[in-house]
Amino acid sequence: MIKCRGINKWYNKDLHVLKNVDIDIKQGEIVVILGPSGSGKSTFIRTINALEDIQEGEIIVDGIPISNDIKNIERIRMETGMVFQSFNLFPHLSILKNITLSPIWVRKWPKKKAEQIAMELLERVGIPEQADKFPGQLSGGQQQRVAIARALAMQPKIMLFDEPTSALDPEMVKEVLDVMKELCHTGMTMLVVTHEMNFAREVADRIILFDQGEIIEMGTPEQLFDHPKHERTKMFLSKII
């Protein structure tokens, strides 16, 4: 589903943030990306839908190469949902309109169809009663669940999560992780940047550890958590578990 070959990225020519990243993500695979702050993990996940450009290498998403061709980028973004640290909801639109905006304008769905699917998704994330409210009237956890519903409304093949619980109060983290866990059982391809170790151990097919722009180690949760090979992995885990 995702193929990355020799990815290199610099900021201002002297900050090398991604270094020769090679990885294949299979269809339906749940991949959790770990690493310290500044390790390049969020930058990497943002290259998958061209929110960050690369200077060297190749990224192919569902058979479509990322290039300067805007049509390719649009096709990839139509099949790729993204949930950010901050919720990025439109404050002046109702929850229902936040979710239906892209399906109506990008997918060209009739308003009735978009609203029906939006309500089904709000039911799925546990907040159908919030449809007519505005983002500022919701808690952080509720807003992030709306952000997940909004991404799912485009019916993507791939979901990207960039530290979706990092901006939440601790008591709100569980409600968002519960929605994500349910999503893991649907067969959707998912890449998740997170510091939630229990979540990673429970749902990941594979875990990748980034450090200083490089993939240091990857493997199953059991391999990475219980039998890490790299000293940097052992040091990282010793500080967060």
Side-chain angles (χ1 to χ4, degrees), residues 160-201:
L160 308 174
F161 294 87
D162 185 9
E163 299 194 44
T165 60
S166 64
L168 301 178
D169 292 334
E171 64 268 23
M172 297 178 184
V173 169
K174 182 180 182 301
E175 62 187 50
V176 173
L177 291 180
D178 284 346
V179 171
M180 293 173 62
K181 287 176 185 177
E182 187 270 334
L183 193 59
C184 288
H185 299 298
T186 64
M188 183 177 290
T189 306
M190 293 173 57
L191 273 71
V192 185
V193 175
T194 186
H195 292 293
E196 300 293 336
M197 296 299 108
N198 289 334
F199 172 83
R201 183 185 284 272

Side-chain angles (χ1 to χ4, degrees), residues 14-68:
D14 55 0
L15 181 58
H16 200 176
V17 292
L18 293 176
K19 303 173 183 176
N20 300 311
V21 175
D22 285 298
I23 188 169
D24 290 338
I25 309 295
K26 299 175 184 176
Q27 184 173 354
E29 191 174 17
I30 311 298
V31 176
V32 171
I33 302 172
L34 306 177
S37 296
S39 63
K41 57 189 187 297
S42 289
T43 300
F44 168 68
I45 203 172
R46 289 168 66 90
T47 66
I48 302 300
N49 62 354
L51 287 177
E52 295 275 0
D53 60 356
I54 59 173
Q55 281 74 53
E56 292 180 0
E58 181 181 47
I59 301 173
I60 300 174
V61 180
D62 194 23
I64 306 168
I66 292 180
S67 64
N68 292 328

Side-chain angles (χ1 to χ4, degrees), residues 110-155:
K111 181 180 177 183
K112 186 175 181 180
K113 175 183 177 179
E115 289 183 345
Q116 179 183 343
I117 290 175
M119 289 306 302
E120 290 172 359
L121 288 168
L122 285 173
E123 187 79 42
R124 185 171 172 183
V125 301
I127 48 172
E129 72 284 354
Q130 308 295 347
D132 294 325
K133 292 185 180 179
F134 290 85
Q137 297 175 287
L138 274 59
S139 70
Q142 289 173 327
Q143 289 187 63
Q144 193 62 295
R145 283 188 277 170
V146 172
I148 293 172
R150 180 180 61 180
L152 291 173
M154 288 290 287
Q155 298 185 341

Side-chain angles (χ1 to χ4, degrees), residues 1-3 45-51 58-82 106-107 154-160:
M1 183 59 79
I2 301 169
K3 180 183 290 186
I45 203 172
R46 289 168 66 90
T47 66
I48 302 300
N49 62 354
L51 287 177
E58 181 181 47
I59 301 173
I60 300 174
V61 180
D62 194 23
I64 306 168
I66 292 180
S67 64
N68 292 328
D69 186 338
I70 190 66
K71 290 183 178 179
N72 276 14
I73 293 174
E74 288 176 351
R75 287 168 64 199
I76 288 169
R77 288 179 178 168
M78 284 182 69
E79 305 300 342
T80 307
M82 182 136 190
V106 180
R107 294 284 191 195
M154 288 290 287
Q155 298 185 341
K157 296 179 180 178
I158 301 166
M159 282 289 286
L160 308 174

